[in-house]
Amino acid sequence: MNTENINRHVQAVAIQFISYRGPINSMSNYVAGSMGDAAPDIELLTNYLRKPETHEELLLRWDIGIWRNTAGDWSLVSLAAPSSIEQMKYRLEHFPTSNTQCRWCLQDAKRLAHIELIPEKDIHGNPVDNSWLHKHCMRPWLTMRNQVARAQTHPTKESLI
Ligand SMILES: [Zn+2]
């Protein structure tokens, strides 16, 4: 099984959906659809996505978050940061409609929010109001926050125009 090719297509699906939540079989079907004739058997694909090693590998190398929710369904989230500081700022300034939603992927954990989401902390270690995220989503969120903070303390010539 060419896992490199699978990872590439999982990434394509994650980017297309931005944030997907549902049964893992449906996730495999989308990946298989993206792969076309190169797709392995759906069951093999599902087993591959289910493996913890896969999550770690995907997470680290491909900016993809995959995890199983407490309710038993699965999430697939693109952890790629927006391409411009302006887009990052926009995301940092806007809050989801419900405070049980993750600020990065916007998936709603509803009554399980206290289990599935963790509070964002400011640089002093204090929780930020109404800002809760999945463990996997916290990393790109904080990277984005740092990048915007750095851009504001060290403005480049372009951003002053
Ligand atoms: Zn999330």
Side-chain angles (χ1 to χ4, degrees), residues 82-155:
S83 51
S84 74
I85 293 288
E86 287 311 307
Q87 282 171 292
M88 291 183 192
K89 264 195 209 163
Y90 181 87
R91 291 194 52 186
L92 290 168
E93 284 163 7
H94 288 77
F95 285 84
T97 47
S98 159
N99 63 2
T100 53
Q101 279 172 278
C102 169
R103 284 195 74 194
W104 176 266
C105 70
L106 301 178
Q107 290 182 12
D108 196 341
K110 297 188 178 150
R111 61 190 176 78
L112 296 170
H114 61 291
I115 298 170
E116 306 208 322
L117 305 180
I118 47 176
E120 177 187 0
K121 301 234 173 104
D122 66 19
I123 49 166
H124 306 292
N126 300 315
V128 175
D129 279 346
N130 293 321
S131 192
W132 295 77
L133 296 105
H134 291 110
K135 185 179 66 146
H136 291 311
C137 300
M138 190 63 86
R139 190 173 56 103
W141 181 263
L142 293 181
T143 304
M144 188 168 79
R145 193 179 85 181
N146 290 342
Q147 275 182 279
V148 169
R150 213 175 303 136
Q152 279 164 344
T153 35
H154 304 288

Side-chain angles (χ1 to χ4, degrees), residues 1 25 28 40-50:
M1 204 160 63
N25 291 355
S28 319
D41 186 77
I42 291 288
E43 236 166 273
L44 284 176
L45 196 54
T46 303
N47 286 339
Y48 173 70
L49 294 176
R50 246 185 233 281

